Amino acid sequence: HLWLEHNLIYQEYKSILKSLLNIPILIESMLANVDSYKEAAKEVARFANIFYLGRGLHSPIAAEWSLKM
């Protein structure tokens, strides 16, 4: 079992599994907001320069966004 191999206690294992099972629900809710994403994209497209900030876990995300945009 995963929780035995990685020394996770059973409650942590259950919490991780519950989070993984919620991924389809979260994706569905994100896709339901496509119109708001399109509207935000139109707003961002107006700018010639954008400065991205990221701290901690968000640093690599900000760096990736700055490369993509």
Side-chain angles (χ1 to χ4, degrees), residues 7-19:
N7 296 322
L8 296 175
I9 61 173
Y10 183 67
Q11 293 300 323
E12 289 175 336
Y13 171 76
K14 282 176 46 177
S15 175
I16 292 169
L17 185 60
K18 184 178 178 182
S19 295

Side-chain angles (χ1 to χ4, degrees), residues 6 9 43 49 62:
H6 296 284
I9 61 173
E43 286 292 315
N49 299 305

